[in-house]
Amino acid sequence: MKANETTLSGLLQGERQYVTPLYQRRYSWERKDFQKLWDDVLALAESDRMTTHFMGSVVLAPSPANTPAGVQVWLVVDGQQRLTTLSIFLCAIRDHVRAEDERLSAKIDDLYLFNKYASGPERYSLLPTQADRQAWIDLLERAPDAAGDDRIGEAYRYFRKQLVAVDDPDDPHDIARIEQAITGQLSLVEIAAHQTDNVHRIFESLNYTGQPLTQADLLRNYLFMKLPNRGEHVYEKQWLPLQQLLSDKQLEELVWLDLVLRGDDRATQESVYQAQQQQLEQITDERDLERWIAELHRKARLFKRVLDPAEEKDADLRDALDRLARWGAQVGHPIALHVLVALDDDRLSVADAVRSLRVVESYLVRRMLTRIGSANANRVLMSLVKELGSDAPSAEAITKVLSGPRKKFPTDQQVRDAVLSNNFYWSGRGPQRTFVLRSLEEDYRHGEPVNFALSKLTIEHVLPQSPNQEWLDMLSTELEEGETAEELHSVLVHTLGNLSLTAYNAKLANDGFDAKKKILADSGLHMNRGIAEKECWSATEIRNRGRELGDRAVRIWPGPDENATAPPLHPKWSMLAQVLASIPAGKWTSYSDVAEVIGTHQVSVQARLLSVPIPNVHRVLKLNGHVSGDFRWPDPSRTDDPRSVLAAEKIQFDEQGRASAQQRMPATELARLIDLDTDVPEVVESD
């Protein structure tokens, strides 16, 4: 047996084939596993250092059928799950760039997915276990019904969706960097057995492991190896109290935050030990190292207040920290800790610190209201500390940085427009949606505010999600030419103007508006009493209330500098591409379903699909299952019948040419495909 560290590039290149034996389990990675791999790869791709990330080991045994000539076949005894996933990831990149970067697409095929000069089954670099083999080959060969509902199809569609989300048209090399991270920066240990080795005993020994050391454990061990004389004193006075203050996971985050606050905006939580070790190698004096640990202890005490605002004694600062904690985004931790350090250093007053934290809150809330993805916010807020430099993190300084180019801080008008059109109900996460509605209600500042800690409020659709004929008749009074009441309903139902908070969600159900008014009129919430004063509840009332809430939102959450250039906001079109990339073969959806998810009108969806090349455009049909009479492929050279393509993907049509309703994916299912939070109702969390 021999073992050596390698990369996926080193493993796959050459005339080699990796076969998962029949006795191995099927491919079984789930969404949480895809997400972890995606996060790791994206962190590598975005790093300006040529860092690596250890993926684990791959145990291989030579096939007894090997001959000196031809493709060398290796049996994958262990590691088949990660090897299959990485190959699926590369397949998704190949197909994503195929139209724009034929060179990269061909490179992935020739180097990683196929043995170019082999024939038959040997031409495939990887052959999963028999139960998954056909699904994998269909994906490689771009079969019409590839990427179905099986696990391999789920993984492929996940990575296609994520690639669509991060592909920046202004950066021609971003996807190539992701490919490089997968093939050249993920580290694997290749353990190659001889034919006489007991490979199963090797497998057992590799998988018999105790509790793994955390990054913080590794750092602690390194630190106290460098403190042979002062170690016991420093451990008792500094490290032990620090360790008792935070959980293991929180301590690991603190060690990462220390790097960020020192200006390392490319640090990742998975490699904090390596990065901190490089910093600490410069410290040779034990007293200096003791001072470094004491400073980390100070930051731990401040970080505890970020994590648990009840620890903060000042009421205003406690409220500002609590608001960020209730928002629930770890992305705000670096700047929040930076603000508290500046406050502790007397570089900011308490009032200044409160205003600074509210700017960060505004940035996060405005991006959620306008449905800008969170990935860019993570990068921006990590870099914020570095960009502030020696300046105190005042509200003015933070606003100035966040108003800069490519920071995407939505303007007042963009927020107002988004409130009127966007699907708020599936924006952000549940606690963030209720945070916005609670903040809007609290802004009315009436004499007897609601006790949100005890009220158990949930989000209520005034115009219900499943309208009866009475509601449809009310909507029918304001239809535009060619529009149906059902289509107008899908445009309005999830917008902020139609949503409120109530403790009577089940009681209200789908009652008519007159019945709802009686309950809302007795509500303790000002926003509900305002709804109850209306004579009817149709498009005009919903949009007018949306305008009022939009005005209130821009007052609660201040925006960028007045001289800032309005960022180009096209989140709905990015979301459209993600939705379509996620639809499996053998399924279809409608223009109105897609419109409901992304927050626009179905006419706009249809126009977009006619003009821009997007994967799976043929899987979007009219609500009745017919192919639209206006359908045409974005590629003018393509003339094949979309119905024939769908039939090849196993879509069933009746005699009238309508696709099977059982194979349609409604809006809620589409939303789940792109990880929108559809788990409702959401209860307002207690304070």
Side-chain angles (χ1 to χ4, degrees):
M1 183 189 73
K2 63 177 182 178
N4 67 283
E5 186 174 356
T6 186
T7 61
L8 191 65
S9 174
L11 201 66
L12 293 179
Q13 286 192 49
E15 293 284 293
R16 308 178 84 188
Q17 184 182 60
Y18 299 94
V19 178
T20 302
L22 297 178
Y23 55 78
Q24 293 281 20
R25 62 176 174 161
R26 296 193 63 171
Y27 180 65
S28 59
W29 270 30
E30 300 176 350
R31 181 161 294 229
K32 60 179 173 47
D33 305 306
F34 310 152
Q35 180 68 57
K36 178 67 169 62
L37 174 60
W38 171 260
D39 291 343
D40 291 341
V41 169
L42 200 61
L44 290 172
E46 292 175 348
S47 174
D48 54 4
R49 295 187 294 264
M50 195 59 181
T51 55
T52 60
H53 177 79
F54 180 60
M55 276 287 290
S57 59
V58 179
V59 182
L60 307 170
S63 170
N66 278 342
T67 62
V71 174
Q72 295 300 297
V73 178
W74 292 85
L75 302 180
V76 185
V77 179
D78 185 38
Q80 75 273 16
Q81 299 287 330
R82 63 180 66 95
L83 191 57
T84 302
T85 307
L86 293 171
S87 298
I88 295 170
F89 200 158
L90 287 172
C91 195
I93 294 175
R94 176 199 70 176
D95 295 345
H96 177 80
V97 303
R98 188 180 177 198
E100 302 295 330
D101 192 343
E102 292 184 7
R103 183 174 176 274
L104 178 56
S105 180
K107 171 190 171 185
I108 292 171
D109 266 348
D110 294 346
L111 295 184
Y112 309 127
L113 300 180
F114 291 93
N115 291 311
K116 187 174 181 179
Y117 299 105
S119 60
E122 288 189 341
R123 61 191 297 264
Y124 306 115
S125 297
L126 171 72
L127 280 180
T129 191
Q130 193 69 32
D132 295 316
R133 196 161 292 177
Q134 192 58 51
W136 171 237
I137 292 174
D138 287 346
L139 207 60
L140 287 174
E141 301 289 5
R142 303 190 185 97
D145 57 347
D149 280 330
D150 54 87
R151 282 284 173 83
I152 283 181
E154 181 185 359
Y156 172 82
R157 287 182 281 106
Y158 175 86
F159 293 123
R160 284 297 303 269
K161 174 198 69 178
Q162 296 292 63
L163 291 166
V164 167
V166 302
D167 195 348
D168 184 351
D170 295 329
D171 185 348
H173 306 297
D174 51 354
I175 305 301
R177 286 197 297 272
I178 292 174
E179 181 268 334
Q180 174 58 35
I182 296 169
T183 58
Q185 293 177 257
L186 292 178
S187 174
L188 297 161
V189 171
E190 176 189 6
I191 301 174
H194 294 292
Q195 289 186 349
T196 57
D197 287 335
N198 186 331
V199 292
H200 294 289
R201 181 62 57 85
I202 298 169
F203 171 76
E204 289 172 1
S205 65
L206 283 168
N207 285 275
Y208 184 74
T209 56
Q211 186 70 21
L213 292 175
T214 67
Q215 296 282 301
D217 290 333
L218 294 170
L219 179 64
R220 181 197 61 226
N221 295 348
Y222 174 78
L223 286 170
F224 287 96
M225 284 176 58
K226 289 172 67 72
L227 289 168
N229 301 309
R230 302 281 299 169
E232 187 172 337
H233 171 78
V234 173
Y235 184 83
E236 180 182 346
K237 296 298 183 183
Q238 299 292 350
W239 189 270
L240 184 59
L242 182 161
Q243 198 166 262
Q244 292 171 337
L245 197 62
L246 303 173
S247 69
D248 289 346
K249 188 174 181 180
Q250 290 167 348
L251 178 55
E252 199 164 285
E253 184 182 358
L254 174 66
V255 175
W256 168 70
L257 287 170
D258 178 72
L259 286 168
V260 176
L261 265 60
R262 293 174 188 273
D264 188 349
D265 61 343
R266 295 291 183 176
T268 67
Q269 293 194 51
E270 290 75 20
S271 59
V272 291
Y273 168 64
Q274 181 183 12
Q276 285 283 19
Q277 186 184 32
Q278 291 174 359
Q279 299 262 4
L280 294 169
E281 282 177 352
Q282 312 302 318
I283 303 177
T284 56
D285 184 87
E286 287 194 44
R287 292 284 184 180
D288 291 337
L289 193 58
E290 181 179 352
R291 281 189 282 272
W292 185 90
I293 295 173
E295 173 63 14
L296 190 68
H297 186 190
R298 178 177 79 117
K299 288 173 181 171
R301 294 194 300 271
L302 298 173
F303 185 43
K304 182 66 174 176
R305 287 150 63 182
V306 175
L307 297 170
D308 184 6
E311 298 273 330
E312 173 55 52
K313 295 179 181 179
D314 183 89
D316 290 338
L317 185 55
R318 182 170 61 248
D319 178 65
L321 289 168
D322 178 64
R323 291 177 69 87
L324 279 178
R326 283 193 287 116
W327 181 257
Q330 186 178 337
V331 65
H333 287 176
I335 187 60
L337 180 57
H338 188 50
V339 167
L340 291 190
V341 169
L343 174 64
D344 199 51
D345 290 339
D346 293 325
R347 298 172 64 220
L348 289 178
S349 68
V350 171
D352 290 335
V354 169
R355 291 175 58 237
S356 296
L357 295 175
R358 291 302 298 270
V359 172
V360 177
E361 177 190 324
S362 292
Y363 182 73
L364 294 170
V365 173
R366 282 182 173 236
R367 288 173 63 99
M368 179 263 203
L369 289 172
T370 53
R371 299 186 86 171
I372 301 176
S374 60
N376 176 259
N378 295 345
R379 291 193 293 271
V380 169
L381 292 180
M382 266 193 68
S383 300
L384 180 55
V385 174
K386 182 177 181 179
E387 291 191 55
L388 287 168
S390 59
D391 293 341
S394 65
E396 293 76 16
I398 293 174
T399 300
K400 181 178 180 181
V401 173
L402 294 180
S403 300
R406 299 176 66 84
K407 299 298 192 292
K408 297 183 180 179
F409 196 170
T411 63
D412 290 356
Q413 190 57 49
Q414 288 173 325
V415 171
R416 291 188 177 99
D417 292 342
V419 165
L420 287 177
S421 63
N422 280 1
N423 181 330
F424 177 82
Y425 193 53
W426 292 333
S427 297
R429 298 192 299 275
Q432 294 169 348
R433 296 190 286 269
T434 49
F435 175 88
V436 169
L437 285 164
R438 171 175 169 174
S439 297
L440 290 167
E441 170 63 26
E442 289 174 332
D443 190 61
Y444 288 101
R445 304 181 187 279
H446 42 82
E448 298 181 15
V450 172
N451 187 331
F452 287 94
L454 302 176
S455 56
K456 300 299 181 183
L457 299 172
T458 61
I459 292 182
E460 161 69 9
H461 288 77
V462 184
L463 169 65
Q465 297 186 74
S466 302
N468 58 26
Q469 194 58 46
E470 178 184 343
W471 286 102
L472 294 176
D473 290 343
M474 192 181 302
L475 291 174
S476 296
T477 62
E478 297 184 319
L479 299 178
E480 297 181 4
E481 184 177 353
E483 186 178 41
T484 67
E486 289 81 4
E487 291 166 354
L488 181 58
H489 170 269
S490 69
V491 169
L492 297 171
V493 65
H494 295 317
T495 59
L496 186 58
N498 186 51
L499 303 176
S500 189
L501 294 171
T502 178
Y504 301 103
N505 199 298
K507 185 176 180 180
L508 288 166
N510 293 336
D511 286 344
F513 186 55
D514 288 340
K516 283 195 172 187
K517 283 173 60 173
K518 294 176 183 177
I519 297 174
L520 294 174
D522 292 332
S523 172
L525 274 69
H526 188 282
M527 64 170 65
N528 289 342
R529 295 197 297 273
I531 295 170
E533 294 171 358
K534 306 299 181 184
E535 292 296 322
C536 65
W537 195 251
S538 189
T540 297
E541 289 74 27
I542 293 171
R543 286 168 176 152
N544 284 342
R545 182 170 179 266
R547 292 185 185 94
E548 189 271 325
L549 293 179
D551 289 341
R552 195 172 291 275
V554 299
R555 186 169 65 251
I556 297 170
W557 295 290
D561 287 343
E562 292 183 1
N563 59 355
T565 303
L569 299 182
H570 304 293
K572 64 182 61 173
W573 300 134
S574 174
M575 193 177 294
L576 170 67
Q578 292 176 57
V579 167
L580 267 63
S582 302
I583 300 173
K587 297 288 185 179
W588 65 277
T589 192
S590 74
Y591 296 104
S592 56
D593 287 315
V594 174
E596 184 175 336
V597 173
I598 70 173
T600 190
H601 197 281
Q602 66 163 356
V603 174
S604 300
V605 171
Q606 194 163 7
R608 180 75 176 178
L609 297 185
L610 289 172
S611 59
V612 177
I614 297 176
N616 301 334
V617 64
H618 61 289
R619 294 176 185 167
V620 186
L621 309 177
K622 296 172 68 173
L623 189 58
N624 61 11
H626 282 293
V627 175
S628 171
D630 296 327
F631 177 86
R632 65 176 181 271
W633 297 103
D635 179 358
S637 66
R638 188 168 182 180
T639 58
D640 46 336
D641 179 13
R643 182 173 158 183
S644 298
V645 176
L646 290 167
E649 296 175 357
K650 308 296 174 60
I651 295 290
Q652 299 175 2
F653 290 87
D654 63 17
E655 293 179 355
Q656 284 74 42
R658 295 174 299 199
S660 168
Q662 283 70 41
Q663 293 175 285
R664 171 181 158 241
M665 300 196 77
T668 304
E669 290 185 26
L670 295 178
R672 293 193 184 109
L673 284 179
I674 60 170
D675 300 318
L676 297 184
D677 185 357
T678 60
D679 294 330
V680 289
E682 304 95 344
V683 177
V684 177
E685 299 293 336
S686 59
D687 291 320

PDB file of all heavy atoms in Angstrom, residues 140-157:
ATOM      1  N   LEU A 140     -23.452  12.678 -18.507  1.00  0.00           N
ATOM      2  CA  LEU A 140     -22.238  12.892 -19.294  1.00  0.00           C
ATOM      3  C   LEU A 140     -22.551  13.088 -20.770  1.00  0.00           C
ATOM      4  O   LEU A 140     -21.969  13.938 -21.448  1.00  0.00           O
ATOM      5  CB  LEU A 140     -21.298  11.692 -19.141  1.00  0.00           C
ATOM      6  CG  LEU A 140     -20.561  11.541 -17.813  1.00  0.00           C
ATOM      7  CD1 LEU A 140     -19.793  10.228 -17.801  1.00  0.00           C
ATOM      8  CD2 LEU A 140     -19.612  12.705 -17.569  1.00  0.00           C
ATOM      9  N   GLU A 141     -23.485  12.288 -21.275  1.00  0.00           N
ATOM     10  CA  GLU A 141     -23.796  12.304 -22.706  1.00  0.00           C
ATOM     11  C   GLU A 141     -24.888  13.310 -23.065  1.00  0.00           C
ATOM     12  O   GLU A 141     -25.329  13.370 -24.203  1.00  0.00           O
ATOM     13  CB  GLU A 141     -24.222  10.900 -23.144  1.00  0.00           C
ATOM     14  CG  GLU A 141     -23.173   9.814 -22.909  1.00  0.00           C
ATOM     15  CD  GLU A 141     -21.987   9.923 -23.855  1.00  0.00           C
ATOM     16  OE1 GLU A 141     -21.911  10.883 -24.641  1.00  0.00           O
ATOM     17  OE2 GLU A 141     -21.118   9.028 -23.808  1.00  0.00           O
ATOM     18  N   ARG A 142     -25.335  14.089 -22.073  1.00  0.00           N
ATOM     19  CA  ARG A 142     -26.369  15.112 -22.287  1.00  0.00           C
ATOM     20  C   ARG A 142     -27.644  14.501 -22.878  1.00  0.00           C
ATOM     21  O   ARG A 142     -28.240  15.022 -23.827  1.00  0.00           O
ATOM     22  CB  ARG A 142     -25.861  16.235 -23.196  1.00  0.00           C
ATOM     23  CG  ARG A 142     -24.604  16.940 -22.690  1.00  0.00           C
ATOM     24  CD  ARG A 142     -24.321  18.188 -23.514  1.00  0.00           C
ATOM     25  NE  ARG A 142     -23.072  18.804 -23.117  1.00  0.00           N
ATOM     26  CZ  ARG A 142     -21.911  18.612 -23.746  1.00  0.00           C
ATOM     27  NH1 ARG A 142     -21.866  17.820 -24.801  1.00  0.00           N
ATOM     28  NH2 ARG A 142     -20.821  19.217 -23.343  1.00  0.00           N
ATOM     29  N   ALA A 143     -28.075  13.399 -22.328  1.00  0.00           N
ATOM     30  CA  ALA A 143     -29.312  12.747 -22.782  1.00  0.00           C
ATOM     31  C   ALA A 143     -30.510  13.650 -22.496  1.00  0.00           C
ATOM     32  O   ALA A 143     -30.488  14.439 -21.541  1.00  0.00           O
ATOM     33  CB  ALA A 143     -29.482  11.403 -22.077  1.00  0.00           C
ATOM     34  N   PRO A 144     -31.575  13.565 -23.295  1.00  0.00           N
ATOM     35  CA  PRO A 144     -32.737  14.455 -23.102  1.00  0.00           C
ATOM     36  C   PRO A 144     -33.343  14.377 -21.707  1.00  0.00           C
ATOM     37  O   PRO A 144     -33.787  15.391 -21.168  1.00  0.00           O
ATOM     38  CB  PRO A 144     -33.728  13.973 -24.168  1.00  0.00           C
ATOM     39  CG  PRO A 144     -32.904  13.308 -25.198  1.00  0.00           C
ATOM     40  CD  PRO A 144     -31.743  12.701 -24.474  1.00  0.00           C
ATOM     41  N   ASP A 145     -33.380  13.170 -21.125  1.00  0.00           N
ATOM     42  CA  ASP A 145     -34.014  13.025 -19.812  1.00  0.00           C
ATOM     43  C   ASP A 145     -32.997  12.965 -18.677  1.00  0.00           C
ATOM     44  O   ASP A 145     -33.286  12.463 -17.592  1.00  0.00           O
ATOM     45  CB  ASP A 145     -34.899  11.779 -19.789  1.00  0.00           C
ATOM     46  CG  ASP A 145     -34.133  10.499 -20.140  1.00  0.00           C
ATOM     47  OD1 ASP A 145     -32.996  10.616 -20.627  1.00  0.00           O
ATOM     48  OD2 ASP A 145     -34.684   9.408 -19.929  1.00  0.00           O
ATOM     49  N   ALA A 146     -31.795  13.499 -18.911  1.00  0.00           N
ATOM     50  CA  ALA A 146     -30.781  13.533 -17.847  1.00  0.00           C
ATOM     51  C   ALA A 146     -31.192  14.525 -16.767  1.00  0.00           C
ATOM     52  O   ALA A 146     -32.019  15.406 -16.980  1.00  0.00           O
ATOM     53  CB  ALA A 146     -29.427  13.928 -18.430  1.00  0.00           C
ATOM     54  N   ALA A 147     -30.572  14.378 -15.591  1.00  0.00           N
ATOM     55  CA  ALA A 147     -30.824  15.269 -14.442  1.00  0.00           C
ATOM     56  C   ALA A 147     -32.270  15.214 -14.007  1.00  0.00           C
ATOM     57  O   ALA A 147     -32.940  16.231 -13.855  1.00  0.00           O
ATOM     58  CB  ALA A 147     -30.410  16.709 -14.753  1.00  0.00           C
ATOM     59  N   GLY A 148     -32.748  13.999 -13.787  1.00  0.00           N
ATOM     60  CA  GLY A 148     -34.109  13.819 -13.296  1.00  0.00           C
ATOM     61  C   GLY A 148     -34.172  13.928 -11.787  1.00  0.00           C
ATOM     62  O   GLY A 148     -33.368  14.609 -11.155  1.00  0.00           O
ATOM     63  N   ASP A 149     -35.108  13.184 -11.176  1.00  0.00           N
ATOM     64  CA  ASP A 149     -35.350  13.298  -9.739  1.00  0.00           C
ATOM     65  C   ASP A 149     -34.429  12.435  -8.885  1.00  0.00           C
ATOM     66  O   ASP A 149     -34.565  12.416  -7.669  1.00  0.00           O
ATOM     67  CB  ASP A 149     -36.808  12.924  -9.426  1.00  0.00           C
ATOM     68  CG  ASP A 149     -37.758  14.088  -9.711  1.00  0.00           C
ATOM     69  OD1 ASP A 149     -37.315  15.241  -9.580  1.00  0.00           O
ATOM     70  OD2 ASP A 149     -38.921  13.828 -10.053  1.00  0.00           O
ATOM     71  N   ASP A 150     -33.521  11.682  -9.495  1.00  0.00           N
ATOM     72  CA  ASP A 150     -32.601  10.855  -8.715  1.00  0.00           C
ATOM     73  C   ASP A 150     -31.570  11.733  -8.010  1.00  0.00           C
ATOM     74  O   ASP A 150     -31.460  12.933  -8.270  1.00  0.00           O
ATOM     75  CB  ASP A 150     -31.901   9.852  -9.640  1.00  0.00           C
ATOM     76  CG  ASP A 150     -31.225  10.555 -10.812  1.00  0.00           C
ATOM     77  OD1 ASP A 150     -30.069  10.969 -10.663  1.00  0.00           O
ATOM     78  OD2 ASP A 150     -31.881  10.708 -11.864  1.00  0.00           O
ATOM     79  N   ARG A 151     -30.772  11.132  -7.126  1.00  0.00           N
ATOM     80  CA  ARG A 151     -29.801  11.892  -6.334  1.00  0.00           C
ATOM     81  C   ARG A 151     -28.730  12.542  -7.211  1.00  0.00           C
ATOM     82  O   ARG A 151     -28.289  13.668  -6.947  1.00  0.00           O
ATOM     83  CB  ARG A 151     -29.134  10.976  -5.301  1.00  0.00           C
ATOM     84  CG  ARG A 151     -30.007  10.689  -4.079  1.00  0.00           C
ATOM     85  CD  ARG A 151     -30.038  11.896  -3.156  1.00  0.00           C
ATOM     86  NE  ARG A 151     -30.980  11.734  -2.077  1.00  0.00           N
ATOM     87  CZ  ARG A 151     -30.734  11.088  -0.942  1.00  0.00           C
ATOM     88  NH1 ARG A 151     -29.552  10.527  -0.754  1.00  0.00           N
ATOM     89  NH2 ARG A 151     -31.641  11.011  -0.004  1.00  0.00           N
ATOM     90  N   ILE A 152     -28.301  11.843  -8.250  1.00  0.00           N
ATOM     91  CA  ILE A 152     -27.291  12.428  -9.141  1.00  0.00           C
ATOM     92  C   ILE A 152     -27.876  13.650  -9.849  1.00  0.00           C
ATOM     93  O   ILE A 152     -27.219  14.693  -9.964  1.00  0.00           O
ATOM     94  CB  ILE A 152     -26.788  11.368 -10.136  1.00  0.00           C
ATOM     95  CG1 ILE A 152     -25.814  10.424  -9.418  1.00  0.00           C
ATOM     96  CG2 ILE A 152     -26.101  12.018 -11.346  1.00  0.00           C
ATOM     97  CD1 ILE A 152     -25.223   9.339 -10.275  1.00  0.00           C
ATOM     98  N   GLY A 153     -29.124  13.547 -10.309  1.00  0.00           N
ATOM     99  CA  GLY A 153     -29.777  14.694 -10.938  1.00  0.00           C
ATOM    100  C   GLY A 153     -29.955  15.846  -9.972  1.00  0.00           C
ATOM    101  O   GLY A 153     -29.794  17.019 -10.338  1.00  0.00           O
ATOM    102  N   GLU A 154     -30.280  15.533  -8.713  1.00  0.00           N
ATOM    103  CA  GLU A 154     -30.450  16.580  -7.704  1.00  0.00           C
ATOM    104  C   GLU A 154     -29.141  17.334  -7.475  1.00  0.00           C
ATOM    105  O   GLU A 154     -29.123  18.570  -7.383  1.00  0.00           O
ATOM    106  CB  GLU A 154     -30.943  15.965  -6.396  1.00  0.00           C
ATOM    107  CG  GLU A 154     -31.183  16.986  -5.292  1.00  0.00           C
ATOM    108  CD  GLU A 154     -31.563  16.361  -3.961  1.00  0.00           C
ATOM    109  OE1 GLU A 154     -31.656  15.123  -3.902  1.00  0.00           O
ATOM    110  OE2 GLU A 154     -31.741  17.115  -2.988  1.00  0.00           O
ATOM    111  N   ALA A 155     -28.043  16.586  -7.382  1.00  0.00           N
ATOM    112  CA  ALA A 155     -26.740  17.230  -7.179  1.00  0.00           C
ATOM    113  C   ALA A 155     -26.382  18.116  -8.368  1.00  0.00           C
ATOM    114  O   ALA A 155     -25.935  19.262  -8.203  1.00  0.00           O
ATOM    115  CB  ALA A 155     -25.662  16.169  -6.970  1.00  0.00           C
ATOM    116  N   TYR A 156     -26.585  17.601  -9.568  1.00  0.00           N
ATOM    117  CA  TYR A 156     -26.270  18.363 -10.787  1.00  0.00           C
ATOM    118  C   TYR A 156     -27.074  19.648 -10.833  1.00  0.00           C
ATOM    119  O   TYR A 156     -26.528  20.731 -11.093  1.00  0.00           O
ATOM    120  CB  TYR A 156     -26.570  17.497 -12.005  1.00  0.00           C
ATOM    121  CG  TYR A 156     -26.466  18.223 -13.336  1.00  0.00           C
ATOM    122  CD1 TYR A 156     -25.245  18.409 -13.959  1.00  0.00           C
ATOM    123  CD2 TYR A 156     -27.612  18.722 -13.968  1.00  0.00           C
ATOM    124  CE1 TYR A 156     -25.152  19.063 -15.183  1.00  0.00           C
ATOM    125  CE2 TYR A 156     -27.531  19.377 -15.186  1.00  0.00           C
ATOM    126  CZ  TYR A 156     -26.308  19.544 -15.782  1.00  0.00           C
ATOM    127  OH  TYR A 156     -26.222  20.204 -16.985  1.00  0.00           O
ATOM    128  N   ARG A 157     -28.372  19.577 -10.580  1.00  0.00           N
ATOM    129  CA  ARG A 157     -29.219  20.773 -10.654  1.00  0.00           C
ATOM    130  C   ARG A 157     -28.871  21.770  -9.552  1.00  0.00           C
ATOM    131  O   ARG A 157     -28.965  22.982  -9.739  1.00  0.00           O
ATOM    132  CB  ARG A 157     -30.699  20.382 -10.585  1.00  0.00           C
ATOM    133  CG  ARG A 157     -31.185  19.728 -11.875  1.00  0.00           C
ATOM    134  CD  ARG A 157     -32.665  19.384 -11.858  1.00  0.00           C
ATOM    135  NE  ARG A 157     -32.925  18.158 -11.122  1.00  0.00           N
ATOM    136  CZ  ARG A 157     -33.462  18.095  -9.913  1.00  0.00           C
ATOM    137  NH1 ARG A 157     -33.806  19.203  -9.288  1.00  0.00           N
ATOM    138  NH2 ARG A 157     -33.683  16.949  -9.313  1.00  0.00           N
TER     139      ARG A 157
END
